Amino acid sequence: MIEGKNCMSCMACVEVCPMHCIEIELDENGLEKKIVDNRKCIRCRKCVHVCQLENPISLFEIKQMYVVAPKDTIYSIRSTSSGMATLLSKRFIRTGGVVAGVRWDIEKGASYYIANTEEELENFRGSKYVYPDVMEVYSEIAEIIKTKKVLFIGLPCIIAAVKKYLKDDREKIFYIDLICHGAPQSSFLQEHLSKRGFERLPDQISFRKGEKYILSAHLKKNHYQAEHYNDLYLYGFLNGLIQKEYCFDCRYSYDKRAGDLTLGDAWNQNVLKKERTSLVAINSSKGRQLFESIGEEMYCVEVSLEDFRRNSQQLKGPTKRHKNQEVFKQTLKSAGFEKAAEKALKHEMRVLQLRKKMSEIKNIVRRKHMW
């Protein structure tokens, strides 16, 4: 069982342990750490067998790639990206399945939930730039697939964990992996929000509006909103400061994929002439089945991996580590997330803020001259 910085805390070992002797806690540095109670351990090695790092899953080669957009614009209007995940999920539920995805929960934050109806899918909309709570989802899915098919949508490392937990029982489960840029541990977001007056987790939160990165949180009368250049958490995420250590060496960030389908943004791919488009990569026969199930409901143009990479940084490797990450980790140990992020990012964020302000002033002057 992998421990230390290489563990991504997928929690599969925690859930598979028959003696409940494994826990994930924050260490003295404020980082997640696996704790094993050796007094309870019976040496069954189930934790080793389920660990995706000790026993890696086989990955798919991408078979075909498409830039896509739903024909019905309601999907993109109500989603962070084009709404393809919602379109695929609705079709899956209409054919008798259920969908496992991440919603925002006021008690647990970003966490997995099983949607049985189209209405429940609304909870999954929006990007969530934090590692989700996956406790109990493994055993829940293992029970559901005895009678129903499941569409599981998530980060590649979580999909790998589900595959390891279910072993060979995969006939009724379909996977969509999301192109990921790394994920921070949830305690960072919790502390960040608490410093902005949130006594508990907000009842609503979003991290993006279209192509703009904006952190927006609501709880009763408390409302916080800031673009990425004014928000330590969002800026730290976008620039490789606050991700889990494993994310910087992630094996799932290339063109070999964990899911039957891969979904990601396709902002710089102008082949469809649509405002919001997504990348869909078909990686398996199950993935093709999912893709063809919505064929009449989407626009699509096939692209090559080389063409896609030419206009995008996706599928080229892990998120690059920020130059001040060591400063962040050392300060985190003594001062907590907020002060650590500020120390690592304050100067470059200030420069960016000044550039934004100068750009606004130039635009005002330009408009006055036009009059």
Side-chain angles (χ1 to χ4, degrees):
M1 180 176 60
I2 297 292
E3 298 186 30
K5 68 178 184 179
N6 292 319
C7 174
M8 79 276 289
S9 304
C10 72
M11 308 296 280
C13 61
V14 176
E15 188 136 349
V16 80
C17 178
M19 303 306 294
H20 309 291
C21 62
I22 307 173
E23 295 182 353
I24 303 293
E25 299 179 354
L26 297 184
D27 64 15
E28 67 277 7
N29 300 320
L31 298 172
E32 289 177 341
K33 181 181 179 181
K34 189 180 298 174
I35 305 295
V36 180
D37 187 341
N38 287 309
R39 295 170 300 176
K40 293 182 180 179
C41 180
I42 58 174
R43 308 298 189 271
C44 67
R45 295 183 62 80
K46 287 185 176 182
C47 58
V48 175
H49 297 315
V50 82
C51 179
Q52 61 183 284
L53 298 178
E54 292 275 13
N55 299 287
I57 64 166
S58 298
L59 300 177
F60 294 116
E61 297 273 359
I62 293 175
K63 291 179 168 57
Q64 285 178 289
M65 296 178 69
Y66 294 87
V67 173
V68 301
K71 291 181 178 179
D72 190 341
T73 56
I74 192 65
Y75 288 102
S76 59
I77 290 171
R78 299 169 65 182
S79 301
T80 302
S81 190
S82 73
M84 282 300 296
T86 304
L87 177 57
L88 285 158
S89 297
K90 283 191 174 184
R91 174 56 58 186
F92 198 82
I93 283 179
R94 287 171 189 169
T95 57
V98 301
V99 180
V102 176
R103 67 173 182 176
W104 184 261
D105 183 271
I106 196 167
E107 299 295 331
K108 297 190 292 184
S111 56
Y112 264 91
Y113 177 75
I114 308 297
N116 293 278
T117 67
E118 291 183 37
E119 290 73 25
E120 289 177 310
L121 292 174
E122 295 299 311
N123 296 317
F124 297 158
R125 289 188 186 273
S127 300
K128 301 165 186 73
Y129 297 146
V130 61
Y131 202 83
D133 183 337
V134 292
M135 284 302 295
E136 300 178 7
V137 73
Y138 303 112
S139 55
E140 191 173 359
I141 288 174
E143 191 63 31
I144 292 171
I145 61 174
K146 292 177 182 178
T147 57
K148 290 185 177 182
K149 61 180 182 177
V150 175
L151 176 61
F152 191 96
I153 304 175
L155 305 181
C157 57
I158 297 178
I159 285 176
V162 175
K163 286 185 172 184
K164 295 298 297 183
Y165 187 90
L166 297 179
K167 298 178 182 177
D168 296 323
D169 194 1
R170 299 175 185 175
E171 182 182 349
K172 291 185 177 178
I173 188 163
F174 296 71
Y175 299 98
I176 297 178
D177 74 54
L178 306 174
I179 295 178
C180 175
H181 306 286
Q185 62 186 52
S186 60
S187 63
F188 291 167
L189 181 61
Q190 291 170 9
E191 181 184 334
H192 182 62
L193 291 172
S194 71
K195 298 294 185 182
R196 277 139 192 85
F198 289 88
E199 297 177 356
R200 56 184 176 86
L201 290 174
D203 51 20
Q204 295 179 48
I205 192 167
S206 63
F207 299 83
R208 225 177 80 188
K209 293 183 179 179
E211 295 188 20
K212 286 190 174 183
Y213 293 96
I214 301 173
L215 178 56
S216 180
H218 305 260
L219 178 63
K220 296 180 179 179
K221 294 182 179 180
N222 192 0
H223 171 63
Y224 171 76
Q225 181 169 297
E227 291 198 47
H228 70 281
Y229 54 84
N230 284 319
D231 185 83
L232 287 167
Y233 181 90
L234 204 47
Y235 189 88
F237 168 78
L238 293 172
N239 290 277
L241 182 78
I242 64 175
Q243 280 83 345
K244 290 171 178 261
E245 184 65 26
Y246 170 82
C247 299
F248 300 110
D249 295 302
C250 178
R251 71 183 292 246
Y252 308 114
S253 57
Y254 299 91
D255 56 348
K256 290 184 171 60
R257 307 305 301 171
D260 299 299
L261 277 186
T262 293
L263 274 182
D265 290 318
W267 289 349
N268 298 320
Q269 314 292 322
N270 298 317
V271 291
L272 273 180
K273 309 301 181 185
K274 298 289 181 183
E275 185 177 346
R276 293 187 187 180
T277 56
S278 293
L279 167 77
V280 175
I282 299 174
N283 310 322
S284 72
S285 58
K286 280 187 175 181
R288 188 172 301 284
Q289 184 180 336
L290 289 171
F291 187 74
E292 291 178 352
S293 73
I294 58 167
E296 296 183 358
E297 300 177 75
M298 65 177 172
Y299 301 107
C300 67
V301 175
E302 187 171 0
V303 295
S304 68
L305 178 61
E306 292 71 24
D307 286 343
F308 181 78
R309 281 174 163 169
R310 193 174 296 121
N311 297 309
S312 174
Q313 292 302 309
Q314 300 177 105
L315 303 179
K316 291 182 178 179
T319 292
K320 292 182 179 179
R321 190 188 304 271
H322 191 278
K323 61 181 181 181
N324 289 339
Q325 211 219 16
E326 197 57 41
V327 173
F328 170 73
K329 289 196 293 185
Q330 288 298 320
T331 311
L332 181 70
K333 184 175 182 178
S334 59
F337 170 80
E338 201 70 12
K339 289 188 180 299
E342 184 177 7
K343 185 172 182 179
L345 299 173
K346 185 176 181 180
H347 175 71
E348 66 186 81
M349 286 182 69
R350 183 60 180 156
V351 170
L352 182 57
Q353 290 161 5
L354 288 171
R355 287 176 180 170
K356 290 282 184 182
K357 183 62 68 177
M358 289 298 296
S359 178
E360 290 172 7
I361 293 171
K362 287 179 181 179
N363 287 335
I364 293 170
V365 172
R366 190 179 296 112
R367 284 196 295 269
K368 284 184 176 181
H369 282 307
M370 288 176 65
W371 287 99

mmCIF file of all heavy atoms in Angstrom, residues 42-76:
data_model
loop_
_atom_site.group_PDB
_atom_site.id
_atom_site.type_symbol
_atom_site.label_atom_id
_atom_site.label_comp_id
_atom_site.label_asym_id
_atom_site.label_seq_id
_atom_site.Cartn_x
_atom_site.Cartn_y
_atom_site.Cartn_z
ATOM 1 N N ILE A 42 -5.097 -7.120 10.170
ATOM 2 C CA ILE A 42 -5.012 -8.584 10.165
ATOM 3 C C ILE A 42 -4.143 -9.088 9.013
ATOM 4 O O ILE A 42 -4.135 -10.282 8.706
ATOM 5 C CB ILE A 42 -6.414 -9.226 10.104
ATOM 6 C CG1 ILE A 42 -7.157 -8.749 8.852
ATOM 7 C CG2 ILE A 42 -7.208 -8.928 11.372
ATOM 8 C CD1 ILE A 42 -8.496 -9.452 8.637
ATOM 9 N N ARG A 43 -3.445 -8.164 8.318
ATOM 10 C CA ARG A 43 -2.524 -8.498 7.227
ATOM 11 C C ARG A 43 -3.230 -9.239 6.074
ATOM 12 O O ARG A 43 -2.659 -10.150 5.476
ATOM 13 C CB ARG A 43 -1.354 -9.349 7.741
ATOM 14 C CG ARG A 43 -0.620 -8.780 8.953
ATOM 15 C CD ARG A 43 0.010 -7.433 8.647
ATOM 16 N NE ARG A 43 0.882 -6.974 9.707
ATOM 17 C CZ ARG A 43 0.500 -6.244 10.765
ATOM 18 N NH1 ARG A 43 -0.767 -5.889 10.884
ATOM 19 N NH2 ARG A 43 1.371 -5.856 11.680
ATOM 20 N N CYS A 44 -4.444 -8.840 5.764
ATOM 21 C CA CYS A 44 -5.183 -9.485 4.671
ATOM 22 C C CYS A 44 -4.724 -8.994 3.302
ATOM 23 O O CYS A 44 -5.013 -9.612 2.286
ATOM 24 C CB CYS A 44 -6.685 -9.240 4.820
ATOM 25 S SG CYS A 44 -7.183 -7.499 4.602
ATOM 26 N N ARG A 45 -4.040 -7.856 3.267
ATOM 27 C CA ARG A 45 -3.470 -7.258 2.054
ATOM 28 C C ARG A 45 -4.516 -6.780 1.035
ATOM 29 O O ARG A 45 -4.200 -6.518 -0.119
ATOM 30 C CB ARG A 45 -2.482 -8.227 1.390
ATOM 31 C CG ARG A 45 -1.251 -8.501 2.247
ATOM 32 C CD ARG A 45 -0.258 -9.406 1.522
ATOM 33 N NE ARG A 45 0.260 -8.833 0.300
ATOM 34 C CZ ARG A 45 1.234 -7.926 0.245
ATOM 35 N NH1 ARG A 45 1.795 -7.486 1.354
ATOM 36 N NH2 ARG A 45 1.652 -7.470 -0.932
ATOM 37 N N LYS A 46 -5.754 -6.651 1.486
ATOM 38 C CA LYS A 46 -6.774 -6.112 0.580
ATOM 39 C C LYS A 46 -6.439 -4.681 0.180
ATOM 40 O O LYS A 46 -6.721 -4.256 -0.943
ATOM 41 C CB LYS A 46 -8.157 -6.165 1.243
ATOM 42 C CG LYS A 46 -8.738 -7.559 1.332
ATOM 43 C CD LYS A 46 -10.163 -7.536 1.875
ATOM 44 C CE LYS A 46 -10.754 -8.944 1.862
ATOM 45 N NZ LYS A 46 -12.153 -8.960 2.345
ATOM 46 N N CYS A 47 -5.843 -3.930 1.084
ATOM 47 C CA CYS A 47 -5.470 -2.543 0.792
ATOM 48 C C CYS A 47 -4.399 -2.485 -0.294
ATOM 49 O O CYS A 47 -4.377 -1.572 -1.127
ATOM 50 C CB CYS A 47 -4.999 -1.836 2.057
ATOM 51 S SG CYS A 47 -3.585 -2.616 2.875
ATOM 52 N N VAL A 48 -3.504 -3.471 -0.298
ATOM 53 C CA VAL A 48 -2.443 -3.518 -1.315
ATOM 54 C C VAL A 48 -3.035 -3.864 -2.673
ATOM 55 O O VAL A 48 -2.702 -3.249 -3.694
ATOM 56 C CB VAL A 48 -1.353 -4.538 -0.922
ATOM 57 C CG1 VAL A 48 -0.315 -4.673 -2.031
ATOM 58 C CG2 VAL A 48 -0.681 -4.125 0.387
ATOM 59 N N HIS A 49 -3.931 -4.840 -2.692
ATOM 60 C CA HIS A 49 -4.517 -5.285 -3.954
ATOM 61 C C HIS A 49 -5.381 -4.203 -4.594
ATOM 62 O O HIS A 49 -5.445 -4.107 -5.822
ATOM 63 C CB HIS A 49 -5.346 -6.550 -3.737
ATOM 64 C CG HIS A 49 -4.548 -7.723 -3.263
ATOM 65 N ND1 HIS A 49 -3.334 -8.069 -3.814
ATOM 66 C CD2 HIS A 49 -4.773 -8.630 -2.274
ATOM 67 C CE1 HIS A 49 -2.854 -9.144 -3.199
ATOM 68 N NE2 HIS A 49 -3.705 -9.494 -2.256
ATOM 69 N N VAL A 50 -6.022 -3.358 -3.785
ATOM 70 C CA VAL A 50 -6.921 -2.338 -4.329
ATOM 71 C C VAL A 50 -6.178 -1.057 -4.695
ATOM 72 O O VAL A 50 -6.726 -0.180 -5.362
ATOM 73 C CB VAL A 50 -8.055 -2.027 -3.324
ATOM 74 C CG1 VAL A 50 -7.588 -1.025 -2.246
ATOM 75 C CG2 VAL A 50 -9.299 -1.512 -4.022
ATOM 76 N N CYS A 51 -4.915 -0.941 -4.311
ATOM 77 C CA CYS A 51 -4.148 0.291 -4.548
ATOM 78 C C CYS A 51 -3.747 0.389 -6.016
ATOM 79 O O CYS A 51 -3.030 -0.468 -6.545
ATOM 80 C CB CYS A 51 -2.905 0.314 -3.662
ATOM 81 S SG CYS A 51 -1.876 1.782 -3.917
ATOM 82 N N GLN A 52 -4.169 1.459 -6.668
ATOM 83 C CA GLN A 52 -3.881 1.635 -8.094
ATOM 84 C C GLN A 52 -2.420 1.964 -8.370
ATOM 85 O O GLN A 52 -1.968 1.858 -9.518
ATOM 86 C CB GLN A 52 -4.762 2.741 -8.670
ATOM 87 C CG GLN A 52 -4.542 4.103 -8.012
ATOM 88 C CD GLN A 52 -5.478 5.151 -8.561
ATOM 89 O OE1 GLN A 52 -5.272 5.640 -9.658
ATOM 90 N NE2 GLN A 52 -6.498 5.501 -7.796
ATOM 91 N N LEU A 53 -1.677 2.352 -7.355
ATOM 92 C CA LEU A 53 -0.253 2.633 -7.537
ATOM 93 C C LEU A 53 0.583 1.370 -7.346
ATOM 94 O O LEU A 53 1.583 1.167 -8.030
ATOM 95 C CB LEU A 53 0.191 3.734 -6.583
ATOM 96 C CG LEU A 53 -0.507 5.085 -6.806
ATOM 97 C CD1 LEU A 53 -0.040 6.094 -5.767
ATOM 98 C CD2 LEU A 53 -0.224 5.616 -8.205
ATOM 99 N N GLU A 54 0.165 0.522 -6.427
ATOM 100 C CA GLU A 54 0.831 -0.775 -6.257
ATOM 101 C C GLU A 54 0.508 -1.701 -7.432
ATOM 102 O O GLU A 54 1.362 -2.455 -7.895
ATOM 103 C CB GLU A 54 0.354 -1.437 -4.956
ATOM 104 C CG GLU A 54 0.805 -0.734 -3.690
ATOM 105 C CD GLU A 54 2.189 -1.170 -3.254
ATOM 106 O OE1 GLU A 54 2.900 -1.819 -4.050
ATOM 107 O OE2 GLU A 54 2.558 -0.859 -2.104
ATOM 108 N N ASN A 55 -0.734 -1.638 -7.907
ATOM 109 C CA ASN A 55 -1.196 -2.514 -8.979
ATOM 110 C C ASN A 55 -1.950 -1.680 -10.006
ATOM 111 O O ASN A 55 -3.181 -1.600 -9.981
ATOM 112 C CB ASN A 55 -2.117 -3.595 -8.411
ATOM 113 C CG ASN A 55 -1.404 -4.474 -7.391
ATOM 114 O OD1 ASN A 55 -0.574 -5.302 -7.753
ATOM 115 N ND2 ASN A 55 -1.715 -4.279 -6.120
ATOM 116 N N PRO A 56 -1.255 -1.019 -10.915
ATOM 117 C CA PRO A 56 -1.889 -0.088 -11.856
ATOM 118 C C PRO A 56 -2.902 -0.768 -12.775
ATOM 119 O O PRO A 56 -2.753 -1.943 -13.133
ATOM 120 C CB PRO A 56 -0.710 0.461 -12.668
ATOM 121 C CG PRO A 56 0.507 0.178 -11.838
ATOM 122 C CD PRO A 56 0.210 -1.080 -11.101
ATOM 123 N N ILE A 57 -3.932 -0.024 -13.156
ATOM 124 C CA ILE A 57 -4.902 -0.513 -14.123
ATOM 125 C C ILE A 57 -4.324 -0.391 -15.536
ATOM 126 O O ILE A 57 -3.385 0.368 -15.767
ATOM 127 C CB ILE A 57 -6.233 0.275 -14.052
ATOM 128 C CG1 ILE A 57 -6.003 1.742 -14.451
ATOM 129 C CG2 ILE A 57 -6.870 0.160 -12.682
ATOM 130 C CD1 ILE A 57 -7.269 2.524 -14.744
ATOM 131 N N SER A 58 -4.882 -1.148 -16.464
ATOM 132 C CA SER A 58 -4.533 -0.985 -17.876
ATOM 133 C C SER A 58 -5.260 0.234 -18.422
ATOM 134 O O SER A 58 -6.427 0.482 -18.078
ATOM 135 C CB SER A 58 -4.952 -2.227 -18.669
ATOM 136 O OG SER A 58 -4.264 -3.370 -18.211
ATOM 137 N N LEU A 59 -4.585 1.001 -19.253
ATOM 138 C CA LEU A 59 -5.174 2.210 -19.819
ATOM 139 C C LEU A 59 -5.520 1.992 -21.286
ATOM 140 O O LEU A 59 -4.908 1.178 -21.973
ATOM 141 C CB LEU A 59 -4.208 3.389 -19.670
ATOM 142 C CG LEU A 59 -3.823 3.755 -18.234
ATOM 143 C CD1 LEU A 59 -2.812 4.897 -18.233
ATOM 144 C CD2 LEU A 59 -5.042 4.131 -17.411
ATOM 145 N N PHE A 60 -6.523 2.759 -21.758
ATOM 146 C CA PHE A 60 -6.963 2.665 -23.146
ATOM 147 C C PHE A 60 -6.147 3.583 -24.049
ATOM 148 O O PHE A 60 -5.776 4.686 -23.653
ATOM 149 C CB PHE A 60 -8.437 3.090 -23.271
ATOM 150 C CG PHE A 60 -9.414 2.181 -22.585
ATOM 151 C CD1 PHE A 60 -10.175 2.641 -21.524
ATOM 152 C CD2 PHE A 60 -9.599 0.875 -23.012
ATOM 153 C CE1 PHE A 60 -11.092 1.826 -20.899
ATOM 154 C CE2 PHE A 60 -10.514 0.042 -22.401
ATOM 155 C CZ PHE A 60 -11.269 0.509 -21.329
ATOM 156 N N GLU A 61 -5.917 3.137 -25.254
ATOM 157 C CA GLU A 61 -5.416 4.020 -26.312
ATOM 158 C C GLU A 61 -6.620 4.760 -26.901
ATOM 159 O O GLU A 61 -7.676 4.167 -27.124
ATOM 160 C CB GLU A 61 -4.742 3.208 -27.418
ATOM 161 C CG GLU A 61 -3.516 2.439 -26.987
ATOM 162 C CD GLU A 61 -2.249 3.284 -27.064
ATOM 163 O OE1 GLU A 61 -2.346 4.457 -27.475
ATOM 164 O OE2 GLU A 61 -1.179 2.757 -26.705
ATOM 165 N N ILE A 62 -6.473 6.062 -27.140
ATOM 166 C CA ILE A 62 -7.554 6.824 -27.769
ATOM 167 C C ILE A 62 -7.770 6.321 -29.197
ATOM 168 O O ILE A 62 -6.830 6.222 -29.975
ATOM 169 C CB ILE A 62 -7.238 8.331 -27.775
ATOM 170 C CG1 ILE A 62 -7.246 8.881 -26.346
ATOM 171 C CG2 ILE A 62 -8.229 9.100 -28.648
ATOM 172 C CD1 ILE A 62 -6.830 10.333 -26.239
ATOM 173 N N LYS A 63 -9.030 6.011 -29.514
ATOM 174 C CA LYS A 63 -9.354 5.499 -30.848
ATOM 175 C C LYS A 63 -9.757 6.615 -31.806
ATOM 176 O O LYS A 63 -9.329 6.659 -32.956
ATOM 177 C CB LYS A 63 -10.478 4.468 -30.750
ATOM 178 C CG LYS A 63 -10.047 3.166 -30.063
ATOM 179 C CD LYS A 63 -11.206 2.195 -29.974
ATOM 180 C CE LYS A 63 -10.727 0.796 -29.557
ATOM 181 N NZ LYS A 63 -10.003 0.785 -28.297
ATOM 182 N N GLN A 64 -10.598 7.542 -31.348
ATOM 183 C CA GLN A 64 -11.027 8.676 -32.162
ATOM 184 C C GLN A 64 -11.289 9.863 -31.256
ATOM 185 O O GLN A 64 -11.631 9.698 -30.081
ATOM 186 C CB GLN A 64 -12.308 8.348 -32.943
ATOM 187 C CG GLN A 64 -12.115 7.430 -34.132
ATOM 188 C CD GLN A 64 -13.430 7.108 -34.817
ATOM 189 O OE1 GLN A 64 -14.264 6.377 -34.286
ATOM 190 N NE2 GLN A 64 -13.630 7.665 -36.013
ATOM 191 N N MET A 65 -11.132 11.070 -31.819
ATOM 192 C CA MET A 65 -11.384 12.293 -31.070
ATOM 193 C C MET A 65 -12.312 13.205 -31.868
ATOM 194 O O MET A 65 -12.200 13.295 -33.093
ATOM 195 C CB MET A 65 -10.074 13.030 -30.771
ATOM 196 C CG MET A 65 -9.130 12.275 -29.876
ATOM 197 S SD MET A 65 -7.576 13.179 -29.610
ATOM 198 C CE MET A 65 -8.179 14.524 -28.610
ATOM 199 N N TYR A 66 -13.201 13.873 -31.133
ATOM 200 C CA TYR A 66 -14.144 14.784 -31.769
ATOM 201 C C TYR A 66 -14.242 16.080 -30.973
ATOM 202 O O TYR A 66 -14.144 16.073 -29.734
ATOM 203 C CB TYR A 66 -15.541 14.166 -31.839
ATOM 204 C CG TYR A 66 -15.644 12.951 -32.726
ATOM 205 C CD1 TYR A 66 -15.365 11.680 -32.222
ATOM 206 C CD2 TYR A 66 -16.019 13.065 -34.065
ATOM 207 C CE1 TYR A 66 -15.453 10.552 -33.022
ATOM 208 C CE2 TYR A 66 -16.117 11.944 -34.880
ATOM 209 C CZ TYR A 66 -15.837 10.690 -34.354
ATOM 210 O OH TYR A 66 -15.924 9.592 -35.156
ATOM 211 N N VAL A 67 -14.442 17.176 -31.686
ATOM 212 C CA VAL A 67 -14.889 18.420 -31.053
ATOM 213 C C VAL A 67 -16.400 18.440 -31.226
ATOM 214 O O VAL A 67 -16.921 18.257 -32.339
ATOM 215 C CB VAL A 67 -14.249 19.656 -31.715
ATOM 216 C CG1 VAL A 67 -14.869 20.934 -31.159
ATOM 217 C CG2 VAL A 67 -12.746 19.652 -31.463
ATOM 218 N N VAL A 68 -17.112 18.629 -30.114
ATOM 219 C CA VAL A 68 -18.566 18.451 -30.129
ATOM 220 C C VAL A 68 -19.269 19.605 -29.407
ATOM 221 O O VAL A 68 -18.671 20.335 -28.611
ATOM 222 C CB VAL A 68 -18.965 17.119 -29.453
ATOM 223 C CG1 VAL A 68 -18.331 15.941 -30.153
ATOM 224 C CG2 VAL A 68 -18.563 17.111 -27.984
ATOM 225 N N ALA A 69 -20.558 19.713 -29.680
ATOM 226 C CA ALA A 69 -21.432 20.659 -28.975
ATOM 227 C C ALA A 69 -22.856 20.159 -29.104
ATOM 228 O O ALA A 69 -23.264 19.695 -30.180
ATOM 229 C CB ALA A 69 -21.320 22.062 -29.574
ATOM 230 N N PRO A 70 -23.663 20.225 -28.035
ATOM 231 C CA PRO A 70 -25.067 19.827 -28.130
ATOM 232 C C PRO A 70 -25.823 20.757 -29.081
ATOM 233 O O PRO A 70 -25.552 21.962 -29.127
ATOM 234 C CB PRO A 70 -25.575 19.982 -26.691
ATOM 235 C CG PRO A 70 -24.359 19.941 -25.831
ATOM 236 C CD PRO A 70 -23.287 20.587 -26.659
ATOM 237 N N LYS A 71 -26.772 20.198 -29.816
ATOM 238 C CA LYS A 71 -27.591 21.024 -30.700
ATOM 239 C C LYS A 71 -28.511 21.942 -29.900
ATOM 240 O O LYS A 71 -28.776 23.073 -30.299
ATOM 241 C CB LYS A 71 -28.415 20.126 -31.633
ATOM 242 C CG LYS A 71 -27.571 19.399 -32.668
ATOM 243 C CD LYS A 71 -28.435 18.546 -33.590
ATOM 244 C CE LYS A 71 -27.579 17.851 -34.647
ATOM 245 N NZ LYS A 71 -28.397 16.985 -35.538
ATOM 246 N N ASP A 72 -29.007 21.452 -28.776
ATOM 247 C CA ASP A 72 -29.863 22.268 -27.912
ATOM 248 C C ASP A 72 -28.969 23.155 -27.039
ATOM 249 O O ASP A 72 -28.227 22.675 -26.180
ATOM 250 C CB ASP A 72 -30.718 21.360 -27.030
ATOM 251 C CG ASP A 72 -31.802 22.126 -26.269
ATOM 252 O OD1 ASP A 72 -31.674 23.369 -26.134
ATOM 253 O OD2 ASP A 72 -32.763 21.491 -25.806
ATOM 254 N N THR A 73 -29.034 24.455 -27.234
ATOM 255 C CA THR A 73 -28.145 25.390 -26.522
ATOM 256 C C THR A 73 -28.440 25.485 -25.032
ATOM 257 O O THR A 73 -27.637 26.057 -24.288
ATOM 258 C CB THR A 73 -28.245 26.798 -27.145
ATOM 259 O OG1 THR A 73 -29.616 27.216 -27.133
ATOM 260 C CG2 THR A 73 -27.718 26.799 -28.576
ATOM 261 N N ILE A 74 -29.559 24.931 -24.576
ATOM 262 C CA ILE A 74 -29.871 24.982 -23.149
ATOM 263 C C ILE A 74 -28.792 24.273 -22.335
ATOM 264 O O ILE A 74 -28.516 24.631 -21.190
ATOM 265 C CB ILE A 74 -31.255 24.361 -22.852
ATOM 266 C CG1 ILE A 74 -31.707 24.671 -21.424
ATOM 267 C CG2 ILE A 74 -31.248 22.855 -23.099
ATOM 268 C CD1 ILE A 74 -31.966 26.119 -21.144
ATOM 269 N N TYR A 75 -28.140 23.272 -22.936
ATOM 270 C CA TYR A 75 -27.097 22.536 -22.213
ATOM 271 C C TYR A 75 -25.893 23.435 -21.920
ATOM 272 O O TYR A 75 -25.357 23.431 -20.811
ATOM 273 C CB TYR A 75 -26.653 21.314 -23.029
ATOM 274 C CG TYR A 75 -27.676 20.209 -23.057
ATOM 275 C CD1 TYR A 75 -28.478 20.016 -24.166
ATOM 276 C CD2 TYR A 75 -27.839 19.359 -21.974
ATOM 277 C CE1 TYR A 75 -29.428 18.990 -24.207
ATOM 278 C CE2 TYR A 75 -28.780 18.340 -21.990
ATOM 279 C CZ TYR A 75 -29.577 18.170 -23.110
ATOM 280 O OH TYR A 75 -30.503 17.163 -23.130
ATOM 281 N N SER A 76 -25.457 24.206 -22.910
ATOM 282 C CA SER A 76 -24.285 25.067 -22.704
ATOM 283 C C SER A 76 -24.629 26.284 -21.856
ATOM 284 O O SER A 76 -23.793 26.758 -21.078
ATOM 285 C CB SER A 76 -23.703 25.507 -24.044
ATOM 286 O OG SER A 76 -24.658 26.223 -24.808
#
